[in-house]
Amino acid sequence: QSSVQLYGIVDAYVGSTKDTIKSATAESQTVVGSGGLKSNRWGMKGSEDLGGGLKAGFKLEQRFKSDTGEQDGVAFKGESSINLSGNFGAVALGRMGTPYDDLRGKTNPIADTNISPVGDTIKNAKADYTDKTDNTVAYVSPTFNGFSGAVAVSFGENKTNVADATSHSSLKLQYANGPLLVGYGFQKEESQLTAGTPAAATGQTEDKTFNLLAASYDFGVAKLVGGYQTLEIESKGVKQGDNDSLYFGVQAPVAKNINVFFGYAGSEYDAVTGTDYKATGFTLAANYVLSKRTDAYVGYKQIKKENDTTGADMGKVKTLAVGVRHTF
Amino acid sequence: QSSVQLYGIVDAYVGSTKDTIKSATAESQTVVGSGGLKSNRWGMKGSEDLGGGLKAGFKLEQRFKSDTGEQDGVAFKGESSINLSGNFGAVALGRMGTPYDDLRGKTNPIADTNISPVGDTIKNAKADYTDKTDNTVAYVSPTFNGFSGAVAVSFGENKTNVADATSHSSLKLQYANGPLLVGYGFQKEESQLTAGTPAAATGQTEDKTFNLLAASYDFGVAKLVGGYQTLEIESKGVKQGDNDSLYFGVQAPVAKNINVFFGYAGSEYDAVTGTDYKATGFTLAANYVLSKRTDAYVGYKQIKKENDTTGADMGKVKTLAVGVRHTF
Amino acid sequence: QSSVQLYGIVDAYVGSTKDTIKSATAESQTVVGSGGLKSNRWGMKGSEDLGGGLKAGFKLEQRFKSDTGEQDGVAFKGESSINLSGNFGAVALGRMGTPYDDLRGKTNPIADTNISPVGDTIKNAKADYTDKTDNTVAYVSPTFNGFSGAVAVSFGENKTNVADATSHSSLKLQYANGPLLVGYGFQKEESQLTAGTPAAATGQTEDKTFNLLAASYDFGVAKLVGGYQTLEIESKGVKQGDNDSLYFGVQAPVAKNINVFFGYAGSEYDAVTGTDYKATGFTLAANYVLSKRTDAYVGYKQIKKENDTTGADMGKVKTLAVGVRHTF
């Protein structure tokens, strides 16, 4: 019995991309891209039975770009955690996805893929949540009649004699029963205040509060997913604006080994003072299942951004991808 | 059946080195060096049978320096690729060695080792080809009666509204039959032009065109390898110079578990305007095979550079290495 | 038979830390920390039997921070080495721990853990030895009637026409017999002199000479460890000061699966000219053995620094940790 499992995903595509949001004069570019359906990763994980229902586990996951071979972020950006689990649930320490992120992932159109329009659309309107946090203590409850919950706290570890530490806290409550999943998520990202003024050195000068209601239902002929997210941004206790977002999608097995995916997201930022923004996006994709571990895919994603005060067009991001994904 | 194989090479040596090309006052230095016979690497690779003759495969290979433990280049500098192969050949995406590099490697004196004089000699004359490229689509044909070919294109992904993207394209044609290998290689490395002017921001302001004829023959008592490479350098469509290079080598099993290697390279750069350069180099080495996976070796490499316009000596690089190589 | 073993340690804790040595106004900080009992690592290692009593081996070990997923230092900071061993002992090349470090580790209170007070206390007084060195050739002798030795030389590889290279040399002599270990260690870290002046560019402008007498004895009901280290610092051949240090500790299995650890260290720096410093530190810890590969622990470490010329208090470092360690 091995005490460690080496695993990963390699996903690359040929395609074209054009981003007139970033630069109005951008041209369509032929590219080899990384992670069309899923972010590239490799990692080590393990689980040990300690007896009496107790288990110890760990996960170390590196992200990389398959098109250039570059590491993406820190060594174990994907996860760096150790946990103890038993009848009481599980306690984990380290760097990991937040409970909020878990619910967003489970209800993300296009099967939690990178080609999903959700995150990009929301970020183009204003801001989305932090998906993974350092210095985290997390608790995941066991499941009671389909109900379960999780909570996590991340310490900024930057407290001074004149300022509190930053912190992230996140929770998730969900009900899962057969084809149905319904969940509520909450995440608060707090800045560091020095006598009422955000401490600029910490890089976070705004407080963000996220609320999410999300659900999925598998009808067999198709699986529907969707969610509604609110974000309130404050600075020094003064509200800056609201960023509300809606997303939904459908995944359908249309023929043997062929699945079709559609996803949509819309997000609006209403500023208390200043410019409002609006972004909408959609993705249409299909994959051909070559084996349990390998599939080929084609996908098209488009995000559109507008100045929601003036109604002016602020550009589009278009990505077309034909690729292969392999899991090991 | 495991879906991933962990593999690598650790190679280190004790030796001395003196480089009066880089610095005229350089002294002989006692060193522990990295990769005398082969670059240090570790990687993950796998192959999955998809049925019907179709296979999926991947390779992620990191390079490192065994003497200091440092990573060499990006995370998966050695290779970061995914491929599908079948009767039609193989298609690969990602970062990988070019087809041109494959032919150079197969005909490199001293068994494709780092102690080979070829690359260093050519670079000291003027310039050698780029061995691995990002954002690459490659096709490798099946073999017909000993004949096979490969072609690859790498996208610079830096097209703007006033300049084309840079690109690398590479191809190889080879005939391999028993002890004989003959091949032709071509590689073109294109700069980014902005209205006829290379875009300096991309780092490549010259176009390079490489042609290679190379062969190897295994006589049993000795294996001979060699090649002739031409390089034409242009800038904004105007020829800058020619860099022609010749290399050859012999590998002979002289006693049980003992092989002797000799390699030579000469390279001349003829500038249209300005100074000409000339470099010559040779390597003499021997290894003692301790097992299929481990050998000990001794090698000596010397490169000499001259100003080929004035005939002035521009220094020498000398490296002596006694080391061990282990494959896992 | 696999030719490579993937292994590692993941260790994280929740705790609090306060460091008034670094900043007099520091506050107590709630943290998730990395490596309370042992530094986080993953690596690849292997050993191959070459016949005739000869073996080849390698080890590549990366260090990382479990709380943030960041790589700690170079890719293979922990070790990057290849070795041949046989009746003659073992010869190794690469980056590795020095023989001196081996003896310090074997006699380190708190079972060679990070929560041990020794290194931090000595560094707070003045300076401790370099534990791992690049560009190293090492020889470890076989054991004769309990006696063994090891020696290593590390080349700075920075010799110029006006200055010698830096270098580290280290040796260890030990006697181990049943419950007893007694050892002597020596390490010399030489700066680079340019005509009698340290070459600042190399980063090391002082010569350090370390001597260590250390021992451990396992009484069964408790294991005692301890050592006495002297350090003489010179610059351009002129003595700068002495840094003498004493450390000891006890490890006792107090109940089934429960061990208690105590360690103490004291270090004084007597400068020839200028300020003297003094540091003392202790650790109290206990672990609960969940399995051969996993334990939970609690520990408290405190280091105190004084100006030993004036007697003035220079602050304290306090760390409390409750954590889990898992080995794979």
Side-chain angles (χ1 to χ4, degrees):
Chain A
Q1 189 193 348
S2 176
S3 61
V4 52
Q5 187 196 341
L6 191 61
Y7 71 95
I9 295 174
V10 185
D11 177 332
Y13 62 87
V14 190
S16 73
T17 183
K18 182 174 178 176
D19 184 349
T20 55
I21 296 179
K22 201 182 280 177
S23 165
T25 63
E27 294 285 315
S28 182
Q29 197 99 240
T30 303
V31 299
V32 171
S34 176
L37 274 197
K38 200 88 175 173
S39 299
N40 285 279
R41 69 199 64 189
W42 73 272
M44 295 165 274
K45 61 185 175 185
S47 179
E48 184 193 11
D49 194 334
L50 301 170
L54 199 64
K55 283 186 178 183
F58 75 97
K59 193 171 186 182
L60 302 170
E61 185 173 296
Q62 181 166 116
R63 299 297 175 90
F64 66 94
K65 297 171 183 171
S66 59
D67 52 350
T68 60
E70 293 170 293
Q71 186 177 300
D72 178 12
V74 298
F76 296 118
K77 178 193 178 187
E79 186 158 341
S80 166
S81 71
I82 183 168
N83 69 74
L84 288 176
S85 61
N87 295 331
F88 61 88
V91 174
L93 293 174
R95 173 180 172 81
M96 65 197 85
T98 66
Y100 191 94
D101 178 61
D102 185 60
L103 182 60
R104 269 281 296 269
K106 280 189 168 119
T107 59
N108 198 0
I110 329 295
D112 193 12
T113 64
N114 282 349
I115 214 171
S116 163
V118 183
D120 282 1
T121 296
I122 297 176
K123 275 174 203 146
N124 268 308
K126 179 63 180 179
D128 207 357
Y129 70 103
T130 301
D131 58 347
K132 294 169 196 302
T133 51
D134 293 343
N135 306 311
T136 301
V137 187
Y139 168 71
V140 180
S141 82
T143 301
F144 300 103
N145 297 320
F147 289 94
S148 63
V151 59
V153 179
S154 307
F155 303 106
E157 305 186 356
N158 50 2
K159 190 179 173 182
T160 71
N161 60 327
V162 292
D164 279 346
T166 53
S167 73
H168 284 201
S169 46
S170 180
L171 73 80
K172 183 194 72 164
L173 298 170
Q174 78 174 38
Y175 175 73
N177 193 345
L180 175 68
L181 171 80
V182 186
Y184 166 69
F186 171 85
Q187 186 159 312
K188 175 123 196 181
E189 308 182 357
E190 293 186 73
S191 63
Q192 186 182 31
L193 290 182
T194 307
T197 303
T202 67
Q204 187 178 334
T205 57
E206 289 174 334
D207 294 325
K208 297 195 184 93
T209 307
F210 295 89
N211 281 278
L212 174 65
L213 268 174
S216 73
Y217 198 94
D218 193 341
F219 290 94
V221 296
K223 185 181 175 185
L224 297 183
V225 298
Y228 188 78
Q229 171 177 295
T230 65
L231 158 61
E232 185 177 301
I233 301 179
E234 292 187 355
S235 181
K236 307 176 212 177
V238 179
K239 183 171 168 175
Q240 304 296 302
D242 284 303
N243 185 10
D244 292 355
S245 306
L246 172 74
Y247 62 85
F248 60 83
V250 58
Q251 170 182 342
V254 296
K256 193 181 178 235
N257 293 329
I258 298 182
N259 301 287
V260 169
F261 307 87
F262 174 77
Y264 170 86
S267 183
E268 294 188 358
Y269 178 64
D270 295 315
V272 171
T273 311
T275 310
D276 297 344
Y277 297 102
K278 182 180 173 181
T280 53
F282 72 88
T283 297
L284 189 59
N287 76 336
Y288 184 83
V289 177
L290 291 159
S291 78
K292 282 190 182 175
R293 291 169 42 208
T294 307
D295 58 352
Y297 61 88
V298 56
Y300 178 75
K301 176 162 79 168
Q302 181 177 311
I303 314 279
K304 185 183 166 187
K305 183 173 181 173
E306 293 171 46
N307 181 319
D308 207 24
T309 303
T310 66
D313 185 350
M314 297 181 70
K316 285 197 181 79
V317 187
K318 296 176 187 180
T319 302
L320 176 67
V322 180
V324 188
R325 172 176 61 171
H326 178 74
T327 302
F328 64 90
Chain B
Q1 188 193 347
S2 175
S3 60
V4 52
Q5 187 195 342
L6 191 62
Y7 71 94
I9 295 173
V10 185
D11 177 332
Y13 63 87
V14 191
S16 73
T17 183
K18 182 174 177 176
D19 184 349
T20 55
I21 295 178
K22 200 182 282 178
S23 165
T25 63
E27 294 284 316
S28 183
Q29 197 99 241
T30 303
V31 299
V32 171
S34 175
L37 274 196
K38 201 87 174 175
S39 300
N40 286 279
R41 70 199 64 190
W42 74 271
M44 293 164 277
K45 61 185 175 185
S47 179
E48 183 193 12
D49 194 334
L50 301 171
L54 198 64
K55 283 186 178 183
F58 75 96
K59 193 172 187 181
L60 302 170
E61 185 173 295
Q62 181 166 114
R63 299 296 175 93
F64 66 94
K65 297 173 184 171
S66 58
D67 53 350
T68 60
E70 292 169 294
Q71 185 177 300
D72 179 11
V74 298
F76 297 118
K77 180 193 177 186
E79 186 158 341
S80 166
S81 71
I82 183 169
N83 69 73
L84 289 175
S85 61
N87 296 332
F88 61 87
V91 174
L93 293 174
R95 172 180 172 82
M96 66 197 85
T98 66
Y100 191 92
D101 178 60
D102 185 60
L103 183 61
R104 268 283 295 270
K106 280 189 169 119
T107 59
N108 198 0
I110 329 295
D112 191 12
T113 66
N114 282 349
I115 215 171
S116 163
V118 182
D120 282 1
T121 296
I122 296 176
K123 276 173 202 148
N124 269 307
K126 180 61 180 180
D128 207 357
Y129 70 104
T130 300
D131 58 347
K132 293 169 196 301
T133 50
D134 293 342
N135 306 312
T136 301
V137 187
Y139 168 71
V140 180
S141 83
T143 302
F144 300 103
N145 298 319
F147 289 94
S148 62
V151 60
V153 178
S154 308
F155 304 105
E157 305 186 357
N158 50 3
K159 190 179 174 182
T160 71
N161 59 328
V162 292
D164 278 347
T166 54
S167 75
H168 284 201
S169 46
S170 180
L171 75 80
K172 183 194 71 164
L173 297 169
Q174 78 175 38
Y175 175 74
N177 193 345
L180 174 68
L181 171 81
V182 186
Y184 166 69
F186 170 85
Q187 186 160 313
K188 176 125 196 179
E189 307 181 358
E190 292 186 75
S191 63
Q192 186 181 32
L193 289 182
T194 307
T197 304
T202 68
Q204 187 177 333
T205 57
E206 288 174 334
D207 294 325
K208 297 196 183 94
T209 307
F210 295 89
N211 281 276
L212 173 66
L213 268 173
S216 73
Y217 198 94
D218 193 342
F219 290 95
V221 297
K223 184 180 175 185
L224 296 183
V225 299
Y228 188 79
Q229 171 178 293
T230 63
L231 159 62
E232 185 176 301
I233 301 178
E234 291 187 356
S235 181
K236 309 176 211 177
V238 179
K239 182 170 169 176
Q240 305 295 304
D242 283 304
N243 185 11
D244 291 356
S245 307
L246 173 74
Y247 62 85
F248 60 83
V250 59
Q251 168 183 342
V254 296
K256 193 181 179 240
N257 294 329
I258 297 181
N259 301 287
V260 168
F261 306 88
F262 174 77
Y264 171 86
S267 183
E268 294 187 359
Y269 179 64
D270 295 315
V272 170
T273 310
T275 309
D276 296 346
Y277 296 103
K278 182 180 173 181
T280 53
F282 72 90
T283 296
L284 190 59
N287 77 336
Y288 183 82
V289 178
L290 291 160
S291 78
K292 281 190 182 173
R293 291 169 42 208
T294 306
D295 58 350
Y297 61 88
V298 56
Y300 178 75
K301 175 161 79 168
Q302 181 177 312
I303 314 280
K304 185 183 166 187
K305 182 171 182 173
E306 292 170 48
N307 181 319
D308 208 24
T309 303
T310 66
D313 184 350
M314 296 182 71
K316 285 197 181 80
V317 187
K318 297 176 186 180
T319 302
L320 176 67
V322 180
V324 187
R325 172 176 60 171
H326 178 73
T327 303
F328 63 91
Chain C
Q1 188 193 347
S2 175
S3 60
V4 53
Q5 187 195 341
L6 191 62
Y7 71 94
I9 295 174
V10 185
D11 177 332
Y13 63 86
V14 190
S16 73
T17 183
K18 182 174 177 176
D19 184 348
T20 56
I21 295 178
K22 200 182 281 176
S23 165
T25 62
E27 294 284 315
S28 182
Q29 197 99 239
T30 303
V31 299
V32 171
S34 175
L37 275 195
K38 201 87 175 175
S39 300
N40 286 279
R41 68 199 65 189
W42 73 272
M44 294 164 277
K45 60 185 176 185
S47 179
E48 184 192 12
D49 194 334
L50 300 170
L54 197 64
K55 283 185 178 184
F58 76 96
K59 193 172 186 180
L60 302 170
E61 185 174 295
Q62 180 166 116
R63 299 297 174 92
F64 66 94
K65 297 172 184 172
S66 59
D67 53 350
T68 60
E70 292 169 294
Q71 186 175 300
D72 178 12
V74 298
F76 297 119
K77 178 193 177 187
E79 186 158 341
S80 166
S81 72
I82 183 168
N83 69 75
L84 288 175
S85 61
N87 296 331
F88 61 87
V91 174
L93 293 174
R95 171 179 173 82
M96 65 197 86
T98 66
Y100 191 92
D101 178 60
D102 186 61
L103 183 59
R104 269 282 296 269
K106 280 189 168 118
T107 59
N108 197 0
I110 329 293
D112 192 12
T113 64
N114 281 350
I115 214 170
S116 164
V118 182
D120 282 1
T121 296
I122 296 176
K123 276 173 203 148
N124 269 306
K126 180 63 181 179
D128 207 358
Y129 70 103
T130 301
D131 59 347
K132 294 170 195 305
T133 51
D134 293 342
N135 306 312
T136 301
V137 187
Y139 168 71
V140 179
S141 82
T143 301
F144 300 103
N145 297 320
F147 289 94
S148 63
V151 59
V153 179
S154 308
F155 304 106
E157 306 186 357
N158 49 3
K159 191 179 173 182
T160 71
N161 60 328
V162 291
D164 279 346
T166 54
S167 74
H168 285 201
S169 47
S170 180
L171 75 80
K172 182 195 74 163
L173 298 169
Q174 78 174 38
Y175 175 73
N177 193 344
L180 175 68
L181 171 81
V182 186
Y184 165 70
F186 171 85
Q187 186 160 312
K188 175 124 197 179
E189 306 181 358
E190 293 187 73
S191 64
Q192 186 182 33
L193 290 182
T194 308
T197 302
T202 67
Q204 187 177 334
T205 57
E206 290 174 332
D207 294 326
K208 296 197 185 92
T209 307
F210 294 88
N211 281 278
L212 174 67
L213 268 173
S216 73
Y217 198 94
D218 193 341
F219 290 96
V221 296
K223 185 180 176 184
L224 297 183
V225 299
Y228 188 79
Q229 171 176 294
T230 64
L231 158 61
E232 186 177 301
I233 300 178
E234 291 186 356
S235 180
K236 309 176 211 177
V238 179
K239 182 171 169 176
Q240 304 297 303
D242 283 304
N243 185 11
D244 291 357
S245 307
L246 173 74
Y247 63 85
F248 61 84
V250 57
Q251 170 182 343
V254 295
K256 192 179 180 239
N257 293 330
I258 298 182
N259 300 287
V260 169
F261 306 88
F262 174 77
Y264 171 86
S267 183
E268 294 187 359
Y269 179 63
D270 295 314
V272 170
T273 310
T275 309
D276 296 346
Y277 297 102
K278 182 180 173 181
T280 53
F282 72 89
T283 297
L284 189 59
N287 77 336
Y288 183 83
V289 177
L290 291 160
S291 79
K292 281 190 182 174
R293 290 170 42 209
T294 306
D295 59 351
Y297 61 88
V298 55
Y300 178 76
K301 175 161 79 168
Q302 181 176 310
I303 314 279
K304 185 183 165 186
K305 183 171 182 174
E306 292 170 47
N307 180 320
D308 208 24
T309 302
T310 65
D313 184 351
M314 296 181 70
K316 285 196 180 80
V317 187
K318 296 176 186 180
T319 301
L320 177 67
V322 180
V324 187
R325 173 177 59 173
H326 178 74
T327 304
F328 63 91

